[in-house]
Coordinates of all heavy atoms in Angstrom, one line a residue:
M1 N -7.8 -0.6 0.4 CA -9.2 -0.8 0.0 C -9.2 -1.2 -1.4 O -8.4 -0.8 -2.2 CB -10.1 0.4 0.2 CG -10.2 0.9 1.7 SD -11.1 2.5 1.9 CE -12.8 1.9 1.6
T2 N -10.2 -2.0 -1.8 CA -10.4 -2.4 -3.2 C -11.2 -1.3 -3.8 O -11.8 -0.4 -3.2 CB -11.2 -3.7 -3.3 OG1 -12.5 -3.5 -2.8 CG2 -10.5 -4.8 -2.5
W3 N -11.2 -1.3 -5.2 CA -12.0 -0.3 -5.9 C -13.5 -0.4 -5.6 O -14.2 0.6 -5.5 CB -11.8 -0.4 -7.4 CG -10.5 0.1 -7.9 CD1 -9.5 -0.6 -8.4 CD2 -10.0 1.4 -7.7 NE1 -8.4 0.2 -8.7 CE2 -8.7 1.5 -8.3 CE3 -10.5 2.6 -7.2 CZ2 -7.9 2.6 -8.3 CZ3 -9.7 3.8 -7.3 CH2 -8.4 3.7 -7.8
T4 N -14.0 -1.6 -5.3 CA -15.4 -1.8 -5.0 C -15.7 -1.2 -3.6 O -16.6 -0.4 -3.4 CB -15.7 -3.3 -5.0 OG1 -15.5 -3.8 -6.3 CG2 -17.2 -3.5 -4.6
E5 N -14.8 -1.4 -2.7 CA -14.9 -0.8 -1.3 C -14.9 0.7 -1.4 O -15.7 1.4 -0.7 CB -13.8 -1.3 -0.4 CG -14.0 -2.8 0.0 CD -12.8 -3.3 0.7 OE1 -11.6 -2.8 0.5 OE2 -12.9 -4.4 1.4
I6 N -14.0 1.2 -2.2 CA -13.9 2.7 -2.3 C -15.1 3.3 -3.0 O -15.7 4.3 -2.5 CB -12.6 3.1 -3.2 CG1 -11.4 2.7 -2.4 CG2 -12.6 4.6 -3.5 CD1 -10.1 2.8 -3.3
S7 N -15.6 2.6 -4.0 CA -16.9 3.1 -4.7 C -18.0 3.1 -3.7 O -18.8 4.1 -3.7 CB -17.1 2.3 -5.9 OG -17.5 1.0 -5.6
I8 N -18.2 2.1 -2.9 CA -19.3 2.0 -1.9 C -19.1 3.1 -0.9 O -20.1 3.9 -0.6 CB -19.4 0.6 -1.3 CG1 -19.8 -0.4 -2.3 CG2 -20.3 0.6 -0.1 CD1 -19.6 -1.8 -1.8
H9 N -17.9 3.2 -0.4 CA -17.6 4.2 0.7 C -17.9 5.7 0.2 O -18.4 6.5 0.9 CB -16.2 4.0 1.2 CG -15.8 5.0 2.3 ND1 -16.2 4.8 3.6 CD2 -15.0 6.1 2.3 CE1 -15.7 5.8 4.3 NE2 -15.0 6.6 3.5
L10 N -17.5 5.9 -1.1 CA -17.7 7.3 -1.6 C -18.9 7.5 -2.3 O -19.2 8.6 -2.8 CB -16.5 7.6 -2.5 CG -15.1 7.7 -1.7 CD1 -14.0 8.0 -2.7 CD2 -15.1 8.7 -0.6
G11 N -19.8 6.5 -2.5 CA -21.1 6.6 -3.2 C -21.0 6.6 -4.7 O -22.0 7.1 -5.3
F12 N -20.0 6.0 -5.3 CA -20.0 5.8 -6.7 C -20.9 4.7 -7.1 O -21.1 3.7 -6.3 CB -18.6 5.6 -7.2 CG -17.7 6.8 -7.2 CD1 -16.9 7.1 -6.1 CD2 -17.7 7.6 -8.3 CE1 -16.1 8.2 -6.1 CE2 -16.9 8.7 -8.4 CZ -16.1 9.0 -7.3
K13 N -21.5 4.7 -8.3 CA -22.3 3.6 -8.8 C -21.6 2.4 -9.1 O -22.2 1.3 -9.1 CB -23.2 4.1 -9.9 CG -24.2 5.2 -9.6 CD -25.0 5.6 -10.8 CE -25.9 6.7 -10.3 NZ -26.7 7.2 -11.5
S14 N -20.3 2.5 -9.5 CA -19.5 1.4 -9.9 C -18.1 1.5 -9.5 O -17.6 2.6 -9.2 CB -19.6 1.2 -11.5 OG -18.8 2.2 -12.1
R15 N -17.4 0.4 -9.5 CA -16.0 0.4 -9.1 C -15.2 1.2 -10.1 O -14.2 1.9 -9.8 CB -15.4 -0.9 -8.9 CG -15.4 -1.8 -10.2 CD -15.0 -3.2 -10.0 NE -13.6 -3.4 -9.6 CZ -12.6 -3.4 -10.5 NH1 -12.9 -3.1 -11.8 NH2 -11.4 -3.6 -10.2
D16 N -15.6 1.1 -11.4 CA -14.9 1.9 -12.5 C -15.1 3.4 -12.3 O -14.2 4.1 -12.6 CB -15.4 1.4 -13.8 CG -14.9 0.0 -14.2 OD1 -13.8 -0.4 -13.7 OD2 -15.6 -0.7 -15.0
G17 N -16.2 3.8 -11.8 CA -16.4 5.2 -11.5 C -15.4 5.8 -10.5 O -14.9 6.8 -10.7
A18 N -15.2 5.0 -9.5 CA -14.3 5.4 -8.5 C -12.8 5.4 -9.0 O -12.1 6.4 -8.8 CB -14.3 4.5 -7.3
R19 N -12.5 4.4 -9.8 CA -11.2 4.3 -10.4 C -10.9 5.5 -11.4 O -9.8 6.1 -11.3 CB -11.0 3.0 -11.1 CG -9.6 2.8 -11.7 CD -9.5 1.5 -12.5 NE -10.5 1.3 -13.5 CZ -10.5 1.9 -14.7 NH1 -9.6 2.7 -15.0 NH2 -11.5 1.7 -15.6
L20 N -11.9 5.8 -12.2 CA -11.8 6.9 -13.1 C -11.6 8.2 -12.4 O -10.9 9.1 -12.9 CB -12.9 6.9 -14.1 CG -13.0 5.8 -15.1 CD1 -14.3 5.8 -15.9 CD2 -11.8 5.9 -16.1
A21 N -12.4 8.4 -11.4 CA -12.3 9.7 -10.6 C -10.9 9.8 -10.0 O -10.3 10.9 -10.1 CB -13.3 9.7 -9.5
V22 N -10.3 8.7 -9.6 CA -8.9 8.8 -9.0 C -7.9 9.1 -10.1 O -7.0 9.9 -10.0 CB -8.6 7.5 -8.3 CG1 -7.1 7.5 -7.9 CG2 -9.4 7.4 -7.0
E23 N -8.1 8.4 -11.3 CA -7.2 8.7 -12.4 C -7.3 10.1 -12.9 O -6.2 10.8 -13.2 CB -7.5 7.7 -13.6 CG -7.1 6.3 -13.3 CD -7.5 5.3 -14.3 OE1 -8.2 5.7 -15.4 OE2 -7.3 4.1 -14.2
R24 N -8.5 10.7 -12.9 CA -8.6 12.1 -13.3 C -7.9 13.0 -12.3 O -7.2 14.0 -12.7 CB -10.1 12.5 -13.5 CG -10.7 12.0 -14.8 CD -12.1 12.6 -15.0 NE -13.0 12.3 -13.9 CZ -13.9 11.3 -14.0 NH1 -13.9 10.5 -15.0 NH2 -14.7 11.1 -13.0
L25 N -8.1 12.7 -11.0 CA -7.5 13.5 -10.0 C -6.0 13.5 -10.1 O -5.3 14.5 -10.0 CB -7.9 13.0 -8.6 CG -7.2 13.7 -7.4 CD1 -7.6 15.2 -7.4 CD2 -7.6 13.0 -6.1
I26 N -5.4 12.3 -10.3 CA -4.0 12.1 -10.5 C -3.5 12.9 -11.7 O -2.5 13.5 -11.7 CB -3.6 10.6 -10.5 CG1 -3.8 10.0 -9.2 CG2 -2.2 10.5 -11.0 CD1 -3.6 8.5 -9.2
G27 N -4.3 12.8 -12.8 CA -3.9 13.6 -14.0 C -3.9 15.1 -13.7 O -2.9 15.8 -14.2
R28 N -4.8 15.6 -13.0 CA -4.8 17.0 -12.6 C -3.6 17.4 -11.7 O -3.0 18.4 -11.8 CB -6.1 17.5 -11.9 CG -7.3 17.6 -12.9 CD -8.4 18.3 -12.2 NE -8.9 17.6 -11.1 CZ -10.0 16.8 -11.0 NH1 -10.6 16.5 -12.2 NH2 -10.4 16.2 -9.9
R29 N -3.4 16.5 -10.8 CA -2.2 16.7 -9.8 C -0.9 16.6 -10.6 O 0.1 17.2 -10.1 CB -2.3 15.8 -8.7 CG -3.4 16.1 -7.7 CD -3.3 15.2 -6.5 NE -4.2 15.6 -5.5 CZ -4.4 15.1 -4.3 NH1 -3.6 14.0 -4.0 NH2 -5.2 15.5 -3.5
S30 N -0.8 15.9 -11.6 CA 0.4 15.7 -12.3 C 0.9 17.1 -12.9 O 2.1 17.3 -13.1 CB 0.3 14.7 -13.4 OG 0.1 13.4 -12.9
A31 N 0.0 18.0 -13.1 CA 0.3 19.3 -13.6 C 0.8 20.1 -12.5 O 1.5 21.2 -12.7 CB -0.9 19.9 -14.3
N32 N 0.6 19.7 -11.3 CA 1.0 20.5 -10.1 C 2.4 20.0 -9.7 O 2.7 18.8 -9.5 CB 0.0 20.2 -9.0 CG 0.3 20.9 -7.7 OD1 1.4 21.3 -7.4 ND2 -0.7 21.1 -6.9
P33 N 3.4 21.0 -9.4 CA 4.7 20.6 -8.9 C 4.7 19.7 -7.7 O 5.6 18.9 -7.4 CB 5.4 21.9 -8.7 CG 4.5 23.0 -9.3 CD 3.2 22.4 -9.5
M34 N 3.7 19.8 -6.9 CA 3.6 19.1 -5.6 C 3.1 17.6 -5.8 O 3.1 16.9 -4.9 CB 2.8 19.8 -4.6 CG 3.3 21.1 -4.1 SD 4.9 20.9 -3.3 CE 4.5 20.0 -1.9
A35 N 2.8 17.3 -7.1 CA 2.2 16.0 -7.4 C 3.1 14.9 -7.0 O 2.7 13.9 -6.5 CB 1.8 15.9 -8.9
K36 N 4.4 15.0 -7.3 CA 5.4 13.9 -7.0 C 5.5 13.7 -5.5 O 5.6 12.6 -5.0 CB 6.7 14.2 -7.6 CG 6.7 14.1 -9.1 CD 8.1 14.0 -9.7 CE 8.1 14.1 -11.2 NZ 7.7 12.8 -11.8
V37 N 5.5 14.8 -4.8 CA 5.5 14.7 -3.3 C 4.3 13.9 -2.8 O 4.3 13.0 -2.0 CB 5.6 16.1 -2.7 CG1 5.5 16.0 -1.1 CG2 6.9 16.8 -3.0
A38 N 3.1 14.3 -3.3 CA 1.9 13.6 -3.0 C 1.9 12.1 -3.4 O 1.5 11.3 -2.5 CB 0.7 14.3 -3.6
E39 N 2.3 11.9 -4.5 CA 2.4 10.5 -5.0 C 3.4 9.6 -4.1 O 3.1 8.5 -3.7 CB 2.9 10.4 -6.4 CG 1.8 10.9 -7.4 CD 2.3 10.8 -8.8 OE1 3.1 10.0 -9.2 OE2 1.8 11.7 -9.6
R40 N 4.5 10.2 -3.8 CA 5.5 9.5 -2.9 C 4.8 9.3 -1.5 O 5.0 8.2 -1.0 CB 6.7 10.4 -2.7 CG 7.7 10.2 -3.8 CD 9.1 10.8 -3.4 NE 9.8 11.2 -4.6 CZ 10.0 12.4 -5.0 NH1 9.6 13.4 -4.4 NH2 10.6 12.6 -6.2
T41 N 4.1 10.3 -1.0 CA 3.5 10.2 0.3 C 2.4 9.0 0.3 O 2.4 8.2 1.2 CB 2.9 11.5 0.7 OG1 3.9 12.5 0.7 CG2 2.2 11.4 2.1
I42 N 1.6 9.0 -0.8 CA 0.6 8.0 -0.9 C 1.2 6.6 -1.0 O 0.8 5.7 -0.4 CB -0.3 8.3 -2.1 CG1 -1.2 9.6 -1.8 CG2 -1.3 7.1 -2.4 CD1 -1.9 10.2 -3.0
S43 N 2.2 6.5 -1.8 CA 2.9 5.2 -2.0 C 3.6 4.7 -0.8 O 3.5 3.6 -0.4 CB 3.9 5.3 -3.2 OG 3.3 5.6 -4.4
A44 N 4.2 5.7 0.0 CA 4.9 5.3 1.2 C 3.8 4.8 2.2 O 4.1 3.9 3.0 CB 5.7 6.5 1.7
E45 N 2.7 5.5 2.3 CA 1.7 5.1 3.2 C 1.1 3.7 2.9 O 0.8 2.9 3.7 CB 0.6 6.2 3.3 CG -0.6 5.8 4.2 CD -0.2 5.7 5.6 OE1 0.9 6.0 6.0 OE2 -1.1 5.2 6.4
S46 N 0.9 3.5 1.6 CA 0.5 2.1 1.1 C 1.4 1.1 1.6 O 1.0 0.0 2.1 CB 0.3 2.1 -0.4 OG 0.0 0.9 -0.9
L47 N 2.7 1.3 1.4 CA 3.7 0.3 1.8 C 3.7 0.1 3.3 O 3.8 -1.0 3.9 CB 5.1 0.8 1.4 CG 5.3 0.8 -0.1 CD1 6.7 1.4 -0.4 CD2 5.3 -0.7 -0.7
R48 N 3.5 1.2 4.1 CA 3.4 1.1 5.5 C 2.2 0.3 6.0 O 2.3 -0.5 6.9 CB 3.3 2.6 6.2 CG 3.4 2.5 7.7 CD 2.9 3.8 8.3 NE 1.5 4.1 8.1 CZ 0.5 3.5 8.8 NH1 0.8 2.5 9.7 NH2 -0.7 3.8 8.5
V49 N 1.1 0.5 5.3 CA -0.1 -0.3 5.6 C 0.1 -1.8 5.3 O -0.3 -2.6 6.1 CB -1.3 0.2 4.9 CG1 -2.5 -0.7 5.0 CG2 -1.7 1.6 5.4
Q50 N 0.8 -2.1 4.2 CA 1.1 -3.5 3.9 C 2.0 -4.1 5.0 O 1.8 -5.2 5.4 CB 1.7 -3.5 2.5 CG 0.8 -3.2 1.4 CD 1.6 -3.2 0.1 OE1 2.2 -4.2 -0.3 NE2 1.5 -2.1 -0.7
E51 N 3.0 -3.3 5.4 CA 3.9 -3.8 6.4 C 3.2 -4.0 7.7 O 3.4 -5.1 8.3 CB 5.0 -2.7 6.6 CG 6.0 -3.0 7.7 CD 6.9 -1.9 7.9 OE1 7.0 -0.9 7.1 OE2 7.6 -1.9 9.0
Q52 N 2.3 -3.1 8.0 CA 1.5 -3.2 9.3 C 0.6 -4.5 9.2 O 0.4 -5.2 10.2 CB 0.7 -2.0 9.5 CG -0.1 -1.9 10.7 CD -0.9 -0.6 10.8 OE1 -1.0 0.1 9.9 NE2 -1.5 -0.4 12.0
G53 N 0.1 -4.8 8.1 CA -0.7 -6.0 7.9 C 0.1 -7.3 8.0 O -0.4 -8.3 8.4
L54 N 1.3 -7.3 7.4 CA 2.1 -8.5 7.4 C 2.8 -8.8 8.8 O 3.1 -10.0 9.1 CB 3.2 -8.4 6.4 CG 2.8 -8.6 5.0 CD1 4.0 -8.4 4.0 CD2 2.2 -10.0 4.7
Q55 N 3.0 -7.8 9.6 CA 3.7 -8.0 10.8 C 3.1 -9.0 11.7 O 3.7 -9.9 12.3 CB 3.9 -6.6 11.6 CG 4.8 -6.8 12.8 CD 6.2 -7.1 12.4 OE1 6.9 -6.5 11.5 NE2 6.8 -8.2 13.1
P56 N 1.7 -8.9 12.0 CA 1.1 -10.0 12.8 C 1.2 -11.4 12.2 O 1.4 -12.3 13.0 CB -0.4 -9.5 12.9 CG -0.4 -8.1 12.5 CD 0.8 -7.9 11.6
L57 N 1.2 -11.5 10.9 CA 1.4 -12.8 10.3 C 2.8 -13.3 10.6 O 3.0 -14.5 10.9 CB 1.1 -12.7 8.8 CG -0.2 -12.3 8.3 CD1 -0.3 -12.2 6.8 CD2 -1.3 -13.4 8.8
Y58 N 3.7 -12.5 10.4 CA 5.2 -12.8 10.8 C 5.3 -13.3 12.2 O 5.9 -14.3 12.5 CB 6.1 -11.7 10.4 CG 7.5 -11.9 10.9 CD1 8.3 -12.7 10.1 CD2 8.0 -11.4 12.1 CE1 9.6 -13.0 10.5 CE2 9.3 -11.6 12.5 CZ 10.1 -12.4 11.7 OH 11.4 -12.7 12.1
D59 N 4.7 -12.5 13.1 CA 4.8 -12.8 14.5 C 4.2 -14.2 14.8 O 4.7 -15.0 15.6 CB 4.1 -11.7 15.4 CG 4.8 -10.4 15.3 OD1 6.0 -10.4 14.9 OD2 4.1 -9.4 15.6
A60 N 3.0 -14.5 14.2 CA 2.3 -15.8 14.4 C 3.2 -16.9 13.9 O 3.3 -18.0 14.5 CB 1.0 -15.7 13.7
V61 N 3.8 -16.8 12.7 CA 4.6 -17.9 12.2 C 5.9 -18.1 13.0 O 6.3 -19.3 13.1 CB 4.9 -17.8 10.7 CG1 3.6 -17.9 9.9 CG2 5.7 -16.6 10.3
V62 N 6.4 -17.1 13.5 CA 7.6 -17.2 14.4 C 7.2 -17.9 15.7 O 7.9 -18.8 16.1 CB 8.2 -15.8 14.7 CG1 9.2 -15.9 15.8 CG2 8.9 -15.2 13.5
E63 N 6.1 -17.6 16.2 CA 5.6 -18.3 17.4 C 5.3 -19.7 17.1 O 5.5 -20.6 18.0 CB 4.3 -17.6 17.9 CG 3.9 -18.0 19.2 CD 2.7 -17.1 19.7 OE1 2.8 -15.9 19.7 OE2 1.7 -17.7 20.1
R64 N 4.9 -20.1 15.9 CA 4.6 -21.5 15.6 C 5.9 -22.2 15.1 O 5.9 -23.4 14.8 CB 3.6 -21.6 14.4 CG 2.2 -21.2 14.8 CD 1.2 -21.7 13.6 NE 1.7 -21.4 12.3 CZ 1.3 -20.5 11.5 NH1 0.4 -19.6 12.0 NH2 1.7 -20.3 10.3
H65 N 7.0 -21.5 15.1 CA 8.3 -22.1 14.7 C 8.2 -22.5 13.2 O 8.9 -23.5 12.9 CB 8.7 -23.2 15.6 CG 8.8 -22.8 17.0 ND1 9.8 -21.9 17.5 CD2 8.0 -23.0 18.1 CE1 9.6 -21.7 18.8 NE2 8.5 -22.4 19.2
D66 N 7.5 -21.8 12.4 CA 7.4 -22.1 10.9 C 8.5 -21.3 10.3 O 8.3 -20.2 9.7 CB 6.1 -21.8 10.4 CG 5.8 -22.0 9.0 OD1 6.9 -22.4 8.3 OD2 4.7 -21.9 8.5
S67 N 9.7 -21.8 10.3 CA 10.9 -21.1 9.8 C 10.8 -20.7 8.3 O 11.2 -19.6 7.9 CB 12.2 -21.9 10.0 OG 12.4 -22.2 11.4
E68 N 10.3 -21.6 7.5 CA 10.2 -21.3 6.0 C 9.3 -20.1 5.8 O 9.7 -19.2 5.0 CB 9.7 -22.6 5.3 CG 9.8 -22.4 3.8 CD 9.3 -23.7 3.1 OE1 9.7 -24.8 3.6 OE2 8.6 -23.6 2.1
T69 N 8.2 -20.1 6.4 CA 7.2 -19.0 6.2 C 7.8 -17.7 6.8 O 7.6 -16.7 6.2 CB 5.8 -19.4 6.7 OG1 5.4 -20.6 6.1 CG2 4.8 -18.3 6.4
A70 N 8.4 -17.9 7.9 CA 9.0 -16.7 8.6 C 10.0 -16.0 7.8 O 10.0 -14.8 7.7 CB 9.6 -17.1 10.0
V71 N 10.8 -16.8 7.1 CA 11.9 -16.3 6.2 C 11.2 -15.5 5.1 O 11.6 -14.4 4.7 CB 12.8 -17.4 5.7 CG1 13.7 -16.9 4.6 CG2 13.7 -17.9 6.9
M72 N 10.2 -16.2 4.5 CA 9.5 -15.5 3.3 C 8.9 -14.2 3.7 O 9.0 -13.2 3.0 CB 8.4 -16.5 2.8 CG 7.7 -15.9 1.6 SD 6.2 -16.8 1.2 CE 5.2 -16.6 2.7
L73 N 8.2 -14.2 4.9 CA 7.6 -12.9 5.4 C 8.6 -11.9 5.7 O 8.4 -10.7 5.5 CB 6.6 -13.2 6.5 CG 5.3 -14.0 6.1 CD1 4.5 -14.4 7.4 CD2 4.4 -13.1 5.2
S74 N 9.7 -12.4 6.3 CA 10.8 -11.5 6.7 C 11.3 -10.8 5.5 O 11.6 -9.5 5.5 CB 11.9 -12.3 7.4 OG 13.0 -11.4 7.7
R75 N 11.5 -11.5 4.4 CA 12.0 -10.9 3.2 C 11.1 -9.9 2.7 O 11.5 -8.8 2.2 CB 12.3 -12.0 2.2 CG 13.5 -12.8 2.4 CD 13.7 -13.9 1.4 NE 14.9 -14.6 1.7 CZ 15.0 -15.9 1.4 NH1 14.1 -16.6 0.8 NH2 16.1 -16.6 1.8
E76 N 9.8 -10.2 2.7 CA 8.8 -9.3 2.2 C 8.7 -8.0 3.1 O 8.6 -6.9 2.5 CB 7.4 -9.9 2.1 CG 6.3 -9.1 1.5 CD 6.6 -8.6 0.1 OE1 7.3 -9.4 -0.7 OE2 6.2 -7.6 -0.3
L77 N 8.8 -8.2 4.4 CA 8.7 -7.1 5.3 C 10.0 -6.2 5.0 O 9.9 -4.9 5.0 CB 8.7 -7.5 6.7 CG 7.3 -8.0 7.2 CD1 7.5 -8.8 8.5 CD2 6.4 -6.8 7.4
R78 N 11.1 -6.8 4.9 CA 12.4 -6.0 4.6 C 12.2 -5.2 3.3 O 12.7 -4.1 3.2 CB 13.6 -7.0 4.6 CG 14.9 -6.2 4.5 CD 16.1 -7.1 4.5 NE 16.0 -8.1 3.4 CZ 16.2 -9.4 3.6 NH1 16.4 -9.9 4.7 NH2 16.1 -10.2 2.5
S79 N 11.7 -5.9 2.3 CA 11.5 -5.2 1.0 C 10.5 -4.0 1.2 O 10.8 -2.9 0.6 CB 10.9 -6.2 0.0 OG 10.6 -5.6 -1.2
L80 N 9.4 -4.2 1.9 CA 8.5 -3.0 2.1 C 9.2 -1.9 2.8 O 9.0 -0.7 2.4 CB 7.3 -3.5 2.9 CG 6.3 -4.5 2.2 CD1 5.4 -5.1 3.1 CD2 5.6 -3.7 1.0
V81 N 10.0 -2.2 3.9 CA 10.7 -1.2 4.6 C 11.7 -0.5 3.7 O 11.8 0.8 3.7 CB 11.4 -1.8 5.9 CG1 12.3 -0.8 6.5 CG2 10.3 -2.3 6.8
S82 N 12.4 -1.2 2.9 CA 13.4 -0.7 2.0 C 12.8 0.2 1.0 O 13.2 1.4 0.7 CB 14.2 -1.8 1.3 OG 15.1 -1.3 0.4
D83 N 11.7 -0.2 0.4 CA 11.0 0.6 -0.7 C 10.5 1.9 -0.1 O 10.5 2.9 -0.7 CB 9.9 -0.2 -1.3 CG 10.4 -1.3 -2.2 OD1 11.6 -1.4 -2.5 OD2 9.5 -2.1 -2.6
R84 N 9.9 1.8 1.1 CA 9.4 3.0 1.8 C 10.5 4.0 2.1 O 10.4 5.2 1.9 CB 8.6 2.6 3.1 CG 7.8 3.7 3.6 CD 6.7 3.2 4.6 NE 7.1 2.2 5.5 CZ 7.5 2.4 6.8 NH1 7.5 3.7 7.2 NH2 7.9 1.5 7.6
A85 N 11.7 3.4 2.5 CA 12.8 4.3 2.9 C 13.3 5.0 1.6 O 13.6 6.2 1.6 CB 13.9 3.5 3.5
K86 N 13.3 4.3 0.5 CA 13.7 5.0 -0.8 C 12.7 6.1 -1.2 O 13.1 7.2 -1.6 CB 13.7 3.9 -1.9 CG 14.9 2.9 -1.8 CD 14.8 1.9 -2.8 CE 15.8 0.8 -2.5 NZ 15.6 -0.4 -3.5
L87 N 11.4 5.8 -1.0 CA 10.4 6.8 -1.4 C 10.5 8.0 -0.5 O 10.3 9.2 -1.0 CB 9.0 6.2 -1.3 CG 8.5 5.4 -2.4 CD1 7.2 4.6 -2.0 CD2 8.3 6.2 -3.6
T88 N 10.8 7.8 0.7 CA 10.8 9.0 1.7 C 12.2 9.6 1.8 O 12.4 10.6 2.5 CB 10.3 8.6 3.0 OG1 11.2 7.5 3.6 CG2 8.9 8.1 3.0
G89 N 13.2 9.1 1.1 CA 14.5 9.7 1.1 C 15.4 9.4 2.3 O 16.3 10.1 2.6
I90 N 15.0 8.3 3.0 CA 15.8 8.0 4.2 C 17.0 7.2 3.8 O 17.0 6.3 3.0 CB 14.9 7.1 5.2 CG1 13.8 8.0 5.7 CG2 15.7 6.6 6.3 CD1 12.8 7.2 6.5

């Protein structure tokens, strides 16, 4: 979600209000030993969502036999999977 979408969804008056609230929350969590676990989990989920969004695009270009775009998307998908594996300790 964008900051604007988040602010609307949560009822903030501006996108900056939502962003600042998240930054304050992260600051408070940083004092907590579980903060790194939470940050890894959030980051891993973000990568998973990106991967999930790219997969249909990859499937479509493969079906169209667009090799150049398929290779580009394949590399990006592989990078997302690799980064997520590193974050989760796989």
Side-chain angles (χ1 to χ4, degrees):
M1 294 175 75
T2 66
W3 286 117
T4 301
E5 292 168 335
I6 293 168
S7 66
I8 292 168
H9 181 74
L10 296 177
F12 285 91
K13 293 180 182 177
S14 71
R15 63 185 292 283
D16 288 334
R19 183 183 52 78
L20 289 171
V22 169
E23 287 175 2
R24 283 192 299 268
L25 176 63
I26 290 171
R28 282 193 301 265
R29 287 187 171 182
S30 293
N32 181 337
M34 294 301 293
K36 290 195 185 284
V37 172
E39 288 177 31
R40 277 192 205 110
T41 303
I42 291 166
S43 295
E45 178 63 10
S46 175
L47 292 171
R48 188 195 65 76
V49 168
Q50 290 175 55
E51 179 187 342
Q52 186 178 8
L54 283 181
Q55 189 64 51
L57 298 175
Y58 173 78
D59 294 341
V61 297
V62 167
E63 192 172 305
R64 288 194 320 257
H65 304 289
D66 181 352
S67 299
E68 187 176 323
T69 306
V71 168
M72 179 192 64
L73 288 171
S74 175
R75 287 180 182 147
E76 185 59 29
L77 284 164
R78 185 177 60 230
S79 175
L80 290 169
V81 170
S82 176
D83 289 350
R84 191 161 46 97
K86 290 174 190 173
L87 279 170
T88 58
I90 296 174

